[in-house]
């Protein structure tokens, strides 16, 4: 790690406001946020301002969100660094919209495709450029709902028990345990 890398704060906080869905528009709902032009700031109501590293309003395309907030992480990934994108918010706030978008294989090149399909596409594009390299790719798509952790990529009947543990030496770990194996992400 260079001295320049040491100066960089490794966490970025992004606020993304998804567009209203048809049901909300039909019910007359309106956006309750004000976006400060040229600043990564949002105002709730008339007086509560919040500043982030990046702010994306409802008109922002998925590609811009990806290029600005996620793509830089992939550069580090190919230099050996881990990368995590965490979508947090209440039910209906747009986590699935931002992370997956309206994705099916038929929609692969549409602008509505979210972060996950774009990341996977980019990883395999980069891998194809490095024929003499060996890659190990592990992907998790976890959902925490009502204090239960679910792996949304697991289709097995033997679903793993997933827990979050804190180790004084290694920090936070996500542990997947089944009757046959245990897998730990640090």
């Amino acid at each position: 790690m260079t001295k320049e890398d040491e100066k960089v704060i490794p966490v970025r906080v992004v606020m993304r406001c998804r567009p209203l869905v048809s049901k909300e528009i039909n019910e007359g709902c309106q956006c309750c946020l004000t976006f400060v032009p040229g600043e990564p700031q949002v105002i709730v109501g008339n007086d509560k301002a919040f500043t982030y590293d990046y702010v994306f309003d409802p008109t922002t395309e998925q590609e811009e969100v990806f290029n600005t907030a996620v793509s830089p992480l992939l550069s580090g990934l190919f230099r050996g660094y881990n990368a995590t994108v965490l979508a947090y918010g209440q039910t209906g706030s747009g986590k699935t919209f931002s992370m997956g978008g309206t994705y099916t294989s038929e929609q692969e090149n549409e602008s509505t495709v979210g972060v996950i399909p774009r990341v996977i596409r980019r990883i395999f594009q980069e891998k194809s450029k490095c024929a003499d390299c060996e890659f190990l790719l592990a992907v998790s798509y976890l959902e925490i709902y009502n204090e239960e952790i679910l792996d949304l990529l697991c289709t097995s009947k033997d679903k793993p028990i997933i827990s979050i543990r804190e180790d004084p030496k290694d920090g936070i770990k996500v542990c997947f345990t089944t009757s046959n194996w245990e897998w730990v992400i640090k």
Side-chain angles (χ1 to χ4, degrees):
M1 181 180 288
T2 67
K3 291 205 180 268
E4 189 66 30
D5 289 338
E6 290 175 6
K7 294 177 185 176
V8 176
I9 298 171
V11 175
R12 300 281 182 266
V13 179
V14 176
M15 199 291 286
R16 202 269 170 98
C17 181
R18 68 159 170 78
L20 295 175
V21 296
S22 301
K23 180 179 186 263
E24 293 166 333
I25 293 168
N26 292 338
E27 292 175 354
C29 296
Q30 296 178 354
C31 185
C32 62
L33 303 174
T34 303
F35 299 87
V36 179
E39 295 293 328
Q41 192 172 63
V42 63
I43 299 171
V44 180
N46 293 322
D47 59 347
K48 294 190 188 236
F50 297 92
T51 303
Y52 301 89
D53 292 297
Y54 304 106
V55 169
F56 300 108
D57 67 31
T59 64
T60 306
E61 295 287 333
Q62 297 277 47
E63 184 173 11
E64 184 179 344
V65 173
F66 174 78
N67 289 338
T68 304
V70 180
S71 186
L73 295 174
L74 295 176
S75 301
L77 189 70
F78 287 98
R79 292 191 325 249
Y81 294 100
N82 291 326
T84 300
V85 176
L86 172 70
Y88 177 81
Q90 68 186 42
T91 300
S93 64
K95 301 175 299 294
T96 300
F97 174 80
S98 293
M99 297 301 283
T102 54
Y103 182 74
T104 66
S105 58
E106 294 81 34
Q107 296 169 313
E108 187 171 349
N109 295 313
E110 291 189 14
S111 63
T112 57
V113 171
V115 167
I116 293 171
R118 291 173 190 272
V119 166
I120 298 299
R121 183 183 319 132
R122 178 72 138 322
I123 286 172
F124 283 98
Q125 286 171 346
E126 292 297 321
K127 181 188 179 302
S128 69
K129 296 177 187 176
C130 304
D132 60 340
C133 296
E134 185 176 319
F135 284 83
L136 172 62
L137 176 63
V139 179
S140 300
Y141 190 17
L142 303 178
E143 174 183 61
I144 302 173
Y145 186 74
N146 287 338
E147 298 183 24
E148 184 178 349
I149 305 171
L150 306 169
D151 183 351
L152 300 178
L153 297 178
C154 182
T155 58
S156 167
K157 290 182 182 176
D158 185 21
K159 291 204 181 255
I161 298 168
I162 304 171
S163 60
I164 298 176
R165 300 180 192 156
E166 185 170 2
D167 183 287
K169 205 176 207 180
D170 294 328
I172 304 295
K173 297 179 181 181
V174 178
C175 303
F176 300 78
T177 308
T178 69
S179 56
N180 300 324
W181 53 271
E182 178 170 282
W183 184 48
V184 177
I185 301 173
K186 296 180 190 177

